[in-house]
Amino acid sequence: MSIVSSRSRALPPSIYWLSLCSFAFGLCEFIAAGLLTPMARDLHASVAATGGAIAAYALGAAIGAPVLTALLARRPTRQILVATMLVLAAGSVAMAGSPALGALLCVRFVVGLAHGVFMAVASHAATSLVDPSRAGRALSIVWLGLTLALAGGVPLGTWLGAVASWRWVFTAIGVLALCGGAGLRCAMPAARQPAAATPALASLRAILQPPLLLAAGVAALVSVATFSFFTYVSPFLLQVGGLDAGWLSAAMLCFGACAIGGNLLGGWCADRPSALRATVLALAALALNLLGFYVLRAHRFAMLALCGTLGMLFFALVTLSTMRLLRLAQRHCPGSDAVAAGLNIAAFNAGTAAGGALGGVLIVAFGLPGIAIGGALAALLAMLLLCFQSRKLDAPL
């Protein structure tokens, strides 16, 4: 999936169109959490059952990212990206018109498949459109769309769903997807696919190499560490931290605002020669941040600050991990960069699901304070795994 590179100082417009499209996909994924109650009421289902809409989407993304990306490896990049936006547009309209929960779950699974493919291909495309010294910055701009969807799009969409209808929210996402697809159609270079493109099975075999699997394991552990805590951040802050609803809203605002900064910081660090060292330090900071929730749980302002730094560290690590996997793929399995990015996306989605499950187990066994300790240990394990890889299979720190 090679693309003609741009060498100008400014990032090409297509990078920003990719960011807009990732915002649309991110909003479609995350908005379900804010609309669960009205969706459940309208579809005559329980809130617990309607929560399957989140799991169905994540499952589709985890499968689509590595597998479908490999199967589409011979197709032109622009064609794949525009096609995934059309799937999002059609799927969003279908969600808006879903007559029952079963239909909604099926549509969200299909759109999740497209989400995984888009983010994998877009990550590779962003780094191909610029020179290597700015690849991390370009990648962070693309992923910034997802961050903005979580930080700003979800609150706005939740408000719209409350004053109008959740169906109008998905209709709006469909319109946004069409606009993004049209922008990509005009802005992306129409590069022809090389004849020697890596076959699908070869790409899938390539990403099973130990360096890539270990890097994906680190990415998964980052999500486990973060979401074993963040999945239950609301009851933790309310019951353990003693915060009220107003403080909880402020904490979520801090998380979202700092996540934006973390995304850009991760892109800047990824372009530095010391990117590996920065990743190790970020993992150590993540472990200390989560431990801080346990130690400082009685201090309100500390809880507020720690929520902000949690968002910053997690989204910085998302960009750093994605860039690391892309570079490892270029070294160990050239031609499979997009599939490697898909492996990273699948790892983060799997880690998110595993983190939520781990948090539930920790709460049953040790109570709510236990999730902070469990998350810190997972972050520490990720740091140790990265150090092992850097010494045995990669470059030294």
Side-chain angles (χ1 to χ4, degrees):
M1 297 178 190
S2 79
I3 298 177
V4 178
S5 297
S6 169
R7 305 296 178 183
S8 62
R9 288 186 62 83
L11 293 177
S14 50
I15 297 292
Y16 298 99
W17 281 108
L18 288 171
S19 185
L20 175 65
C21 292
S22 71
F23 174 86
F25 267 114
L27 186 56
C28 188
E29 177 179 13
F30 300 135
I31 193 60
L35 299 175
L36 275 185
T37 300
M39 287 167 61
R41 182 172 59 248
D42 201 19
L43 296 172
H44 306 291
S46 67
V47 171
T50 309
I54 300 172
Y57 194 104
L59 179 62
I63 295 173
V67 178
L68 287 186
T69 302
L71 295 176
L72 295 169
R74 291 179 177 271
R75 307 300 304 175
T77 298
R78 187 175 70 175
Q79 184 181 96
I80 295 173
L81 293 171
V82 172
T84 56
M85 295 310 299
L86 292 176
V87 172
L88 174 59
S92 297
V93 173
M95 290 179 212
S98 294
L101 180 60
L104 179 70
L105 296 180
C106 291
V107 173
R108 284 187 63 81
F109 175 77
V110 172
V111 175
L113 291 173
H115 179 127
V117 173
F118 175 86
M119 291 307 302
V121 177
S123 296
H124 167 63
T127 59
S128 301
L129 285 163
V130 298
D131 56 88
S133 67
R134 295 184 300 154
R137 180 186 170 198
L139 182 65
S140 70
I141 294 296
V142 173
W143 280 85
L144 183 62
L146 282 179
T147 312
L148 289 173
L150 181 61
V154 170
L156 180 60
T158 302
W159 172 81
L160 179 60
V163 300
S165 167
W166 66 270
R167 297 184 186 273
W168 281 110
V169 176
F170 284 109
T171 301
I173 294 173
V175 173
L176 182 61
L178 280 178
C179 294
L184 283 180
R185 178 68 178 79
C186 297
M188 287 290 293
R192 291 184 299 176
Q193 187 63 18
T198 306
L201 290 179
S203 291
L204 288 174
R205 284 196 299 268
I207 62 174
L208 294 179
Q209 295 189 40
L212 273 69
L213 288 178
L214 283 173
V218 171
L221 284 170
V222 169
S223 272
V224 169
T226 303
F227 286 95
S228 61
F229 176 83
F230 193 71
T231 301
Y232 305 96
V233 67
S234 177
F236 183 93
L237 294 179
L238 293 174
Q239 298 175 34
V240 179
L243 306 186
D244 57 24
W247 280 85
L248 178 61
S249 298
M252 294 301 96
L253 181 61
C254 284
F255 180 90
C258 292
I260 296 171
N263 204 328
L264 298 174
L265 176 63
W268 183 85
C269 291
D271 287 335
R272 307 274 76 77
S274 57
L276 177 59
R277 185 183 298 273
T279 307
V280 173
L281 291 176
L283 287 169
L286 179 62
L288 290 174
N289 194 100
L290 289 163
L291 184 61
F293 277 108
Y294 180 84
V295 176
L296 302 173
R297 59 188 183 275
H299 302 276
R300 293 187 173 190
F301 285 102
M303 293 291 99
L304 209 64
L306 288 170
C307 282
T309 51
L310 180 64
M312 181 185 70
L313 289 168
F314 174 70
F315 281 95
L317 283 164
V318 167
T319 304
L320 285 165
S321 298
T322 304
M323 199 67 232
R324 177 171 171 76
L325 249 175
L326 284 170
R327 286 170 176 157
L328 285 172
Q330 292 166 3
R331 183 186 310 173
H332 296 282
C333 48
S336 300
D337 304 30
V339 183
L343 176 64
N344 194 62
I345 293 165
F348 273 113
N349 276 279
T352 299
L358 173 62
V361 172
L362 290 171
I363 290 172
V364 172
F366 306 106
L368 276 168
I371 60 176
I373 300 295
L377 291 175
L380 183 61
L381 181 58
M383 185 185 70
L384 294 175
L385 183 59
L386 180 58
C387 290
F388 168 79
Q389 181 183 25
S390 68
R391 293 176 181 175
K392 300 294 183 181
L393 299 171
D394 197 20
L397 292 173

